[in-house]
Amino acid sequence: MAKKIILDMDPGVDDALGIILALRSPELDVLAITTVAGNVGVDHCTRNTLRVLALLDRHDIPVARGANRPLRARPHDAASVHGDDGLGALGDAYYPAPDESLVTQEPAAD
């Protein structure tokens, strides 16, 4: 029986791979994904999550936008390393269009 999980992440390159691996794993049942600001802002992280889900044709996973900054630390931006969108995108990189309908209206903490 697959373990039911919720992923809470800031999808850039590493977390995008984590989503792919989790969704392809027979041991895991991903119920939802929540996003937070990390190496780039939460809007980019949410859009990156939606792009990965579109790439995998997984329109059944709800996504909830979470915190736009750390609770105790100052925000950190690593766009100079990870690219403006956090996925290291070059101008000619292909990403599927994000499915904005997957984003729930509930805050991720709820």
Side-chain angles (χ1 to χ4, degrees):
M1 182 173 185
K3 184 175 204 92
K4 295 180 183 302
I5 65 169
I6 295 174
L7 299 174
D8 182 51
M9 43 192 20
D10 65 329
V13 175
D14 55 341
D15 285 356
L17 181 57
I19 292 170
I20 294 168
L21 292 172
L23 291 176
R24 296 286 190 210
S25 172
E27 291 95 15
L28 300 175
D29 179 12
V30 178
L31 302 177
I33 301 174
T34 61
T35 62
V36 295
N39 291 324
V40 294
V42 71
D43 291 333
H44 280 302
C45 292
T46 303
R47 199 166 18 261
N48 292 344
T49 300
L50 297 173
R51 287 178 171 147
V52 171
L53 293 174
L55 179 69
L56 299 174
D57 197 26
R58 290 298 303 266
H59 305 282
D60 58 315
I61 308 287
V63 175
R65 182 182 184 276
N68 63 0
R69 63 178 313 278
L71 294 175
R72 302 185 96 172
R74 291 171 39 134
H76 173 76
D77 185 292
S80 63
V81 175
H82 297 279
D84 289 338
D85 68 354
L87 288 177
L90 303 172
D92 59 352
Y94 168 76
Y95 295 114
D99 183 353
E100 301 287 341
S101 71
L102 296 177
V103 178
T104 67
Q105 297 305 308
E106 286 187 59
D110 293 344

